[in-house]
Amino acid sequence: MDLVEPRDIRITCAPALSPFLAEEVQLLGLPLLGQTRTGVTTRGSWTDTWRLCLELRTAFQVLYPLHAFRCSSPDDLYRAARGLAWETIIAPDGYVTVESRVDHPSINNSMFPNLRLKDAIADRFTEITGRRPDSGAGRRGVVVHLYWKGDQATIALNAAGRKLADRGYRRSPHKAPLQETLAAAVVLATGWRGDQPLALPMCGSGTLAIEAALIGLDRAPGLLRSSFALNHVLGFEAGAWSAVRAGVRRRARKDLGVPIVASDIDRRAIEAAQRNAETAGVAHLIDFHVADFASAPMPADPGVLIVNPEYGARLGDEGALRATYERFGSFMKSRCAGWTCHVLSGNRALTGSLGLKASRRVPLFNADIECRLLRYEMWTGSRPTRGTGSPVPGD
Ligand SMILES: C[S@@+](CC[C@H](N)C(=O)[O-])C[C@H]1O[C@@H](n2cnc3c(N)ncnc32)[C@H](O)[C@@H]1O
């Protein structure tokens, strides 16, 4: 099968992250052909998927299409899949995982189309080579993705395999961690790029701090992963892959010229954050402390501050949280002159308790909870530094 030919590559993401993903794809020099709430479409070759898997910070999956066809029944699916030259994609002694997203009135369990697709691959192999690859849910080999909606279906190679959000550094998740892709989007939305001090006074297990360090260094998150599904596709050229990885690695800065200070009141959160930062190779760039935010050390010069306080949906109790938000509002007014502060929260009533007016609200989703990333530009002295951040009630 010709994997060199440019095709329309679908890249998926969490709801509301596609504006960030679209920008990332274009910054890599690839065209933006389409955008939905949960993904973008670009055009490129199979080897373009390599860079996408290494570089993208806000994507889940990179899907390179093999065949698009009309499909109104599992038998149509079987016939179309059996006609594809799987023996040029999967080694006969390899491993394949089949996954699908199906929206068709005749299918109420995606296990069935998965099974038909897996059977088609196995039967094709048995007929042509007399052998067949092993299969299962393990994602340790080639991953085949089926998208079937109405009477249209696409069979694609899932280049990443495991979700790209799974960077591999978070061995100690602690309580309510942000997904890595959401944390990266939050940092990108603040505009912080490693050029000014960063403070994270409720850092939890460190996801925002770690994603920020990777962004500040321009270090591609995929370099942290030892393998992707693409490494198992037949004809994979290890030398070319190493060259792509080395090019991406060379571009990264070795150090940041600005401090990242991260703290949390919970000692176990900071221990987890330190372990995670070590695994991600950025612990030397982050100054961790156990402290209440009100007494937490801050960088000497103003910069960007980001917090993701609890907001009652999963953790904590709203009454106690109101007091925390009120105190955090006072903290911003008294200690953050000259800073641009960002608060990610899914509770409007609580952000109202901050007692400050946000200058921008970016809609985001934390799992299925609708959130806002609120920006507060804090005054220095008696005049606004950048026009807003006025201490008036409301969010
Ligand atoms: C929702 S979690 C943050 C999760 C984090 N974004 C992550 O990805 O791991 C909120 C954090 O705020 C911390 N926190 C709550 N009250 C605090 C306070 N007064 N001072 C400092 N940290 C506090 C909690 O210990 C918790 O780790």
Side-chain angles (χ1 to χ4, degrees):
M1 186 158 305
D2 177 13
L3 296 182
V4 175
E5 181 195 332
R7 299 180 186 202
D8 288 357
I9 299 169
R10 172 89 182 145
I11 310 170
T12 65
C13 63
L17 294 197
S18 59
F20 303 96
L21 178 56
E23 198 175 327
E24 285 200 88
V25 167
Q26 288 171 294
L27 281 173
L28 291 175
L30 290 170
L32 182 66
L33 302 186
Q35 183 176 337
T36 64
R37 228 173 128 262
T38 54
V40 304
T41 305
T42 185
R43 192 161 175 81
S45 66
W46 173 242
T47 41
D48 286 323
T49 69
W50 297 8
R51 267 193 76 205
L52 290 167
C53 286
L54 285 171
E55 301 255 23
L56 292 176
R57 300 180 192 279
T58 58
F60 276 165
Q61 300 292 9
V62 177
L63 305 171
Y64 182 81
L66 297 175
H67 187 45
F69 54 100
R70 279 182 73 80
C71 186
S72 44
S73 69
D75 287 344
D76 287 349
L77 169 64
Y78 179 89
R79 267 191 299 277
R82 181 137 181 192
L84 297 177
W86 295 107
E87 64 283 2
T88 65
I89 295 174
I90 310 166
D93 58 351
Y95 185 91
V96 62
T97 300
V98 173
E99 61 178 22
S100 62
R101 274 197 55 206
V102 178
D103 178 4
H104 190 271
S106 72
I107 307 292
N108 53 20
N109 182 346
S110 67
M111 290 304 283
F112 186 55
N114 284 1
L115 201 62
R116 290 298 278 158
L117 178 47
K118 194 162 64 74
D119 285 348
I121 298 171
D123 293 350
R124 164 99 186 187
F125 259 97
T126 311
E127 181 189 68
I128 294 194
T129 69
R131 292 192 293 160
R132 47 184 281 187
D134 207 358
S135 62
R139 289 174 191 268
R140 56 174 193 269
V142 175
V143 178
V144 175
H145 181 95
L146 165 71
Y147 179 71
W148 179 7
K149 187 171 166 60
D151 62 358
Q152 277 299 314
T154 303
I155 295 173
L157 284 179
N158 175 340
R162 275 186 295 115
K163 268 186 189 168
L164 290 172
D166 187 359
R167 319 267 204 244
Y169 64 70
R170 205 158 64 188
R171 311 245 166 95
S172 307
H174 203 60
K175 285 185 271 181
L178 291 179
Q179 194 163 41
E180 293 85 333
T181 42
L182 174 60
V186 166
V187 175
L188 292 173
T190 68
W192 190 85
R193 298 291 184 273
D195 46 356
Q196 51 186 318
L198 180 66
L200 303 138
M202 297 193 207
C203 73
S205 53
T207 323
L208 283 164
I210 294 167
E211 291 297 323
L214 295 172
I215 288 170
L217 292 174
D218 195 16
R219 187 182 290 170
L223 291 173
L224 293 168
R225 255 172 78 158
S226 56
S227 78
F228 296 89
L230 62 89
N231 303 125
H232 302 279
V233 169
L234 211 59
F236 168 70
E237 292 166 47
W241 169 248
S242 298
V244 171
R245 275 178 64 100
V248 170
R249 192 189 301 276
R250 253 194 316 275
R251 195 196 58 213
R253 289 156 66 180
K254 299 279 168 290
D255 219 335
L256 286 176
V258 292
I260 299 179
V261 179
S263 52
D264 198 285
I265 199 164
D266 182 344
R267 174 171 300 281
R268 283 164 313 151
I270 290 297
E271 285 166 2
Q274 265 164 332
R275 279 194 298 273
N276 292 337
E278 273 157 29
T279 310
V282 295
H284 61 295
L285 302 172
I286 307 168
D287 195 7
F288 285 109
H289 300 272
V290 178
D292 183 286
F293 59 76
S295 53
M298 293 271 282
D301 296 320
V304 170
L305 177 148
I306 313 174
V307 284
N308 161 223
E310 289 144 19
Y311 39 80
R314 286 185 292 181
L315 291 173
D317 134 78
E318 199 161 311
L321 287 176
R322 191 166 307 122
T324 302
Y325 277 69
E326 279 170 10
R327 263 196 334 117
F328 195 73
S330 304
F331 164 81
M332 286 199 283
K333 287 171 217 161
S334 61
R335 294 223 20 224
C336 298
W339 285 78
T340 304
C341 302
H342 301 262
V343 179
L344 177 69
S345 177
N347 189 322
R348 220 188 136 106
L350 288 175
T351 53
S353 302
L354 293 169
L356 286 161
K357 186 164 169 47
S359 61
R360 195 179 67 156
R361 298 167 183 80
V362 180
L364 291 167
F365 275 82
N366 185 3
D368 54 353
I369 303 163
E370 192 174 347
C371 296
R372 292 279 182 279
L373 179 65
L374 304 168
R375 179 165 71 187
Y376 303 94
E377 290 169 74
M378 303 308 295
W379 299 6
T380 49
S382 57
R383 296 179 52 184
T385 47
R386 275 152 286 192
T388 55
S390 48
V392 298
D395 69 350

